[in-house]
Amino acid sequence: MRCSKSCRLRWTNYLRPGIKRGNFTDQEEKLIVHLQALLGNRWAAIASYLPERTDNDIKNYWNTHLKRKLQGGGGDGDGGGGAASASSKPAAQRPVSSSKGQWERRLQTDIDMARRALREALTSLDDVKPQPDADADADAGGGGATGPAAGAGAAHSPAASSSSGASQCSPSAAGYVLTTENISRMLDGWARKGGGHAGSGPATPGATESASGSSEASEVSYGGTAVSAPPAPASAFEYETKPTVTAAAADETQLSAIESWLFADVDGIEHHGPGGSLLDASMDYAF
DNA sequence: AACCTCTTCAACCGCTGCGGC
DNA sequence: CGCCGCAGCGGTTGAAGAGGT
């Protein structure tokens, strides 16, 4: 009485050997939060970074645990819709091919689009200092005490970014996570973290040794007010800047590091080589 | 013990992309 | 080029269990 589809689902989500169910570790939680903030509700993509977890499991865990946890900080009015539902119709939520290789290529494309969008946004701004209007969003990241996912990931996740900020970007990058709003928020976050938080800025290459970097990078404190939008995307960029920024750069402003990263390939010289991409760095996650 | 509410998670549903014909 | 079947994705549902009254 079962169709092939149902059987496949049963196998992939439940019966398949090697899958781990329940008992998400703190590390896994943080990684999921980060990836959700970065990728939106692309559970399959997120699951590819957690080989022992199924996308369904991650999705369920997000919806039942993490989303609530992150909203526990005060919520930003997402209400029931919450982070995930708010991002249920993402422009950036393009269908992700099944294979990890394809997904990686897609992500790399997204990264390139992010660069372009960020570049354009920075160009359009008078300067690259954190934008005041980021505070408007800060109610999501700060005042609203919304989690990184709800802030950067949901309300402004790749998923949800399509509606508002996207229009400010080029059509090609319109749907991407890095709308100007997000960018502003990210920059704001970097700027704010700049001082006493030397280890976590994008300009601090040594800070993120590895995926465990994610533990550091994911200084996400749940349930409290400390959760802010920037960390997640920031950490994402950390990975990418890591290989290209020297330790001496630690004293630079983080923004400078971003710029150097951003414009390094402005002439089409993309950092697809080893250590040259977010993806490559991201893949450093140790499991 | 009965009832109700809430939470969890496996399964279902609709959709999209891809490959074969 | 269009059709068809399949794989896979993300959103949603509903049964089962837990907990409270």
Side-chain angles (χ1 to χ4, degrees):
Chain A
M1 295 175 65
R2 299 288 184 176
C3 65
S4 59
K5 185 176 180 177
S6 182
C7 291
R8 185 192 64 80
L9 204 65
R10 173 74 173 171
W11 170 262
T12 56
N13 287 337
Y14 198 83
L15 298 174
R16 180 166 53 93
I19 61 172
K20 199 166 63 177
R21 296 170 52 238
N23 298 324
F24 279 78
T25 66
D26 193 51
Q27 177 79 8
E28 285 175 318
E29 271 192 16
K30 289 175 178 175
L31 183 53
I32 291 169
V33 169
H34 266 297
L35 290 171
Q36 203 280 342
L38 179 64
L39 301 170
N41 295 357
R42 293 156 78 168
W43 304 117
I46 293 171
S48 70
Y49 286 88
L50 293 146
E52 294 180 320
R53 303 290 185 180
T54 67
D55 57 343
N56 205 42
D57 206 18
I58 293 171
K59 177 174 60 179
N60 283 332
Y61 190 69
W62 172 266
N63 286 330
T64 59
H65 292 86
L66 299 180
K67 193 165 74 175
R68 188 168 301 132
K69 250 183 187 177
L70 297 173
Q71 285 175 342
D76 61 348
D78 270 358
S85 63
S87 57
S88 61
K89 299 297 179 185
Q93 195 181 46
R94 294 177 292 278
V96 180
S97 58
S98 56
S99 74
K100 191 169 180 176
Q102 288 174 308
W103 132 247
E104 287 171 1
R105 285 193 292 274
R106 177 140 261 161
L107 179 56
Q108 187 59 60
T109 301
D110 285 353
I111 292 164
D112 294 341
M113 290 172 65
R115 288 185 175 186
R116 260 178 265 128
L118 185 53
R119 227 178 276 142
E120 292 174 18
L122 290 175
T123 301
S124 68
L125 297 173
D126 289 337
D127 59 30
V128 290
K129 287 180 291 188
Q131 294 302 297
D133 74 329
D135 293 336
D137 293 324
D139 66 341
T146 316
H156 300 282
S157 71
S161 64
S162 60
S163 59
S164 58
S167 60
Q168 302 174 30
C169 299
S170 70
S172 63
Y176 192 71
V177 56
L178 292 174
T179 64
T180 52
E181 288 173 298
N182 289 345
I183 294 160
S184 297
R185 193 177 308 101
M186 290 160 54
L187 297 179
D188 186 39
W190 275 317
R192 268 182 270 142
K193 288 171 67 178
H197 199 51
S200 66
T204 56
T208 55
E209 300 294 334
S210 64
S212 49
S214 102
S215 67
E216 180 281 315
S218 41
E219 284 185 5
V220 182
S221 59
Y222 306 109
T225 56
V227 179
S228 62
S235 66
F237 282 93
E238 283 174 2
Y239 305 142
E240 183 153 18
T241 53
K242 170 175 64 177
T244 57
V245 182
T246 65
D251 291 337
E252 296 178 6
T253 66
Q254 292 164 334
L255 201 51
S256 298
I258 298 169
E259 287 177 297
S260 64
W261 163 78
L262 179 61
F263 292 103
D265 59 351
V266 71
D267 291 328
I269 305 171
E270 302 291 337
H271 292 174
H272 288 223
S277 71
L278 167 62
L279 181 58
D280 293 331
S282 296
M283 288 314 217
D284 287 341
Y285 278 113
F287 293 103

